[in-house]
Amino acid sequence: MQQVNLGMIGGGTVGSGVFHALQLNGGLMASRIGVKVNVRKVAVKAFNEPRPYPISRSLMTTDWQSVVNDPQVDIVTELVGGTGIARTMVLTALKLGKPVVTANKALLSAHGEELFAAAKKYGTNLYYEASVCGGIPIIKSLREGFVGNRINALYGIVNGTCNYILTRMKLEGADFAAVLADAQKHGYAETPPDLDIDGHDAAHKIGILASLAHGFWVNPKKIHVEGIRQISALDIKFAGELGYTIKLLGIIKRIGGGCQVQVSVYPTLVPNAHVLASVNHVFNAVFVRGDIVGDTLFYGRGAGKDATASAVLSDLADAALDLKSGSKQRVPPFVPHECAGAVVPIENVVSQYFLRLNVVDRPGTLAKIAAIFGAAKIGISSVIQPEGHEGKSVPLIFMLHYATNGAVNGALKKIGRLPVVKGKPVMLRVENFE
Ligand code: HSE
């Protein structure tokens, strides 16, 4: 049987997971694809760093360059993370014409355009299934399974930490800070948690998916990102009373007939009857609407050593097959094909809304607020106000009809200045998947 040699950079959680998965199922994979992937060297930070699975000591080195430059190494995995040295590692391998498999979403988000161009220039390939949603084969699905579709919409729960926190807040009626602290204590959230809870990790993934789906490289700065810090137990409770569950959704939506695309990440009210409302705890899910295929759904673990290893093995199989067939770009990593594509500014995106205000329960309050919405031509679809708080502060919940984000933000600025409105209004968007 033909054999290809793998040089691994990174032998921590993900790296050792890949090593273990290859030990476990490398033979099975070889019998399926007709090529054996043989681990030749593993560059590690330190021989004794903690890792969930052991790596044979004889394969380990602390010199990553000796791995990439080894003439016997045919394929390189970059499982180091970060956007600094990882970029140099990937570029070094690509310049040598060696295919690279990476799980690094931050690197692709920041430097994807440059790295894909380098892969093309040096006649090799860059595989990145593990960079988005761990074990869910969403890259392969978009690139190959849906190659004959325009992707009209994609909605993703792509951050397990946020989904875990929001799920527990809903089930326990608990506040954000308490659930976050407990999640950190039990290892379900990183310390510091900012990359996850402020939506940036989700934005990295959504940017990669948007670029792949729409054929133009989405500048991460154009992605509108909001995290879940500001979500309170009250928002979850009132959303529930209205028949919705709050999820951090990545949204990629074609607007109009051209290639103007909404690309955003924000906490969203999802109808309880929609399948994404039932995706709980650390699980991820991606809902893809193609113009030919219609609606499809992908569900699975988005992180963790084994789910990520599964995705890396899938890429290794592709890389090995590409080497075997002598066509290193058999499946091109990313092909720019939509020069007119652009991300629509959030102010112009149309949505429905949930608003929570804290107001003084006094005659005329509702009328003042309704007048501002009326003047901005924003329709109110429902209002909730708990009874029995006359003269005191009380939550006032509005559901608004379709309006642009710009119009709603303009109205909210005026509403926030009314003396009867206490504190900052909370605005969340509602997605009805129409
Ligand atoms: N921290 C991410 C999550 C996994 O919580 O989903 C890696 O992207």
Side-chain angles (χ1 to χ4, degrees), residues 157-180:
I157 295 173
V158 299
N159 184 271
T161 305
C162 289
N163 206 36
Y164 176 82
I165 292 172
L166 291 173
T167 302
R168 280 194 53 192
M169 285 175 74
K170 181 174 177 184
L171 295 179
E172 297 164 24
D175 258 317
F176 171 78
V179 176
L180 172 63

Side-chain angles (χ1 to χ4, degrees), residues 105 158-161 196 201 205 303:
K105 69 223 78 170
V158 299
N159 184 271
T161 305
D196 290 314
D201 172 81
K205 298 168 186 168

Side-chain angles (χ1 to χ4, degrees), residues 176-200:
F176 171 78
V179 176
L180 172 63
D182 195 60
Q184 285 180 302
K185 197 166 117 197
H186 292 99
Y188 287 104
E190 307 261 353
T191 305
D194 312 33
L195 194 65
D196 290 314
I197 65 174
D198 291 330
H200 303 298

Side-chain angles (χ1 to χ4, degrees), residues 276-298:
L276 287 179
S278 313
V279 174
N280 284 325
H281 298 289
V282 295
F283 278 89
N284 285 195
V286 186
F287 183 91
V288 184
R289 178 171 291 162
D291 63 345
I292 307 281
V293 69
D295 290 349
T296 61
L297 179 72
F298 300 79

